[in-house]
Amino acid sequence: MNLTINVVDEQPSKSIVYLAGEIDAYTAPDLKEALIPLMRQEDQVVAVDLAEVNYMDSTGLGTFVSALKSSKEYNSKLTLVNIQDRVLRLFQITGLDEIMDIRASIRGGSE
């Protein structure tokens, strides 16, 4: 399956990245190509909406770790929102839910 990536600039310093499909070894490079440049913008706030992502493997997790590292380097902010339970479980198993900002919704509180 493919991954659809739709980047919406809400404000000059805030973007929402809507994802749909599967994040795996085949699609993760496209996600990284879209996400990392956003994270390298000083003081950028990026919310990644994972509501339509039904599968992710370790390559996808690695992409989000790379994005998190870039966000710290460039003082930007990465938030993951609307994560389906089976994908959220990957973040919990690996402990990434402890270091990443994961929220129930774009406007809502934390999980």
Side-chain angles (χ1 to χ4, degrees):
M1 185 174 191
N2 290 329
L3 178 68
T4 302
I5 303 167
N6 184 18
V7 178
V8 177
D9 294 323
E10 290 223 320
Q11 301 167 5
S13 62
K14 182 177 181 185
S15 298
I16 300 174
V17 180
Y18 293 95
L19 303 177
E22 298 181 353
I23 305 173
D24 56 20
Y26 177 74
T27 61
D30 293 336
L31 175 57
K32 192 170 188 175
E33 188 176 302
L35 195 54
I36 298 300
L38 293 173
M39 303 316 306
R40 290 183 175 165
Q41 296 177 34
E42 191 79 23
D43 297 321
Q44 183 77 5
V45 175
V46 179
V48 180
D49 189 316
L50 295 157
E52 299 296 320
V53 172
N54 50 30
Y55 174 82
M56 182 167 56
D57 67 10
S58 61
T59 312
L61 288 175
T63 299
F64 287 114
V65 169
S66 294
L68 181 64
K69 287 180 182 178
S70 289
S71 74
K72 293 187 182 310
E73 186 177 338
Y74 290 89
N75 198 34
S76 56
K77 181 169 174 42
L78 174 66
T79 302
L80 306 179
V81 298
N82 298 325
I83 302 177
Q84 292 187 21
D85 287 341
R86 76 188 273 184
V87 174
L88 178 60
R89 186 81 179 118
L90 290 174
F91 286 93
Q92 293 169 335
I93 289 169
T94 59
L96 290 173
D97 64 320
E98 299 294 324
I99 62 170
M100 300 191 98
D101 184 14
I102 297 176
R103 298 179 182 263
S105 70
I106 291 173
R107 312 248 187 274
S110 64
E111 282 277 44

